[in-house]
Amino acid sequence: MAEIKLIHINEDVLDEQGKIDQKKIDLVARLGGDWYCRVTENNLFKVAKPLAKLGIGVDRLPYAVRYSKVLTGNDLGMLGNVELLPNEEEIDLVNQLAEVKEVLDATIGDATNRERELHELAKSMLKDGKVELALKVVLL
């Protein structure tokens, strides 16, 4: 344990609230073995933590979602962090969204492309922070 008595920090890396802005600081992550990674804004992602309960976990996602050719490990981590899987009625309501209807109409009779297109749509939703909506889309 250590008690921090003093810290020197370049104010250029702080946000409006005086907290470190992860997009401004030049970090290096230690990986396994001899591997490291420079952390840039392009490879940062945020996963909100549930306050009261654990997320469902990636292993509860359907096989086709877990082994998606579109969704990354980061995407799966966000999906697996939701507290509950949506029920069938909640999933069916997603069919009402214009962007979902467009994918479904464009891929009638083409299950492979439908799955890929729905995963692409969910990926864009994840990028916008719409995790629960993205989960419903991949569960269609």
Side-chain angles (χ1 to χ4, degrees), residues 18-139:
K19 296 183 179 188
I20 294 174
D21 183 335
Q22 300 299 322
K23 296 175 185 170
K24 294 179 181 176
I25 194 166
D26 187 24
L27 297 174
V28 175
R30 172 96 163 84
L31 304 175
D34 294 339
W35 291 92
Y36 290 81
C37 174
R38 172 158 267 136
V39 180
T40 66
E41 185 173 353
N42 290 337
N43 60 26
L44 276 174
F45 68 99
K46 190 174 186 179
V47 177
K49 301 296 177 209
L51 298 177
K53 299 177 182 174
L54 292 175
I56 62 168
V58 173
D59 56 330
R60 294 241 353 249
L61 297 172
Y63 181 89
V65 176
R66 287 194 322 264
Y67 294 96
S68 171
K69 290 181 174 28
V70 173
L71 301 171
T72 66
N74 297 347
D75 297 330
L76 296 177
M78 287 186 265
L79 293 173
N81 200 45
V82 299
E83 290 186 43
L84 294 170
L85 283 170
N87 62 41
E88 286 184 38
E89 291 172 11
E90 293 171 316
I91 295 169
D92 286 342
L93 287 175
V94 173
N95 288 325
Q96 309 287 323
L97 298 174
E99 60 260 48
V100 173
K101 282 183 180 182
E102 186 178 322
V103 169
L104 297 177
D105 289 347
T107 58
I108 292 172
D110 187 354
T112 302
N113 282 323
R114 175 173 283 186
E115 180 177 284
R116 182 182 47 75
E117 290 293 325
L118 288 171
H119 287 201
E120 289 284 356
L121 177 58
K123 186 174 189 66
S124 70
M125 291 173 169
L126 289 169
K127 191 173 186 177
D128 292 337
K130 300 174 183 174
V131 178
E132 291 184 11
L133 184 57
L135 179 58
K136 292 172 188 173
V137 168
V138 297
L139 294 176

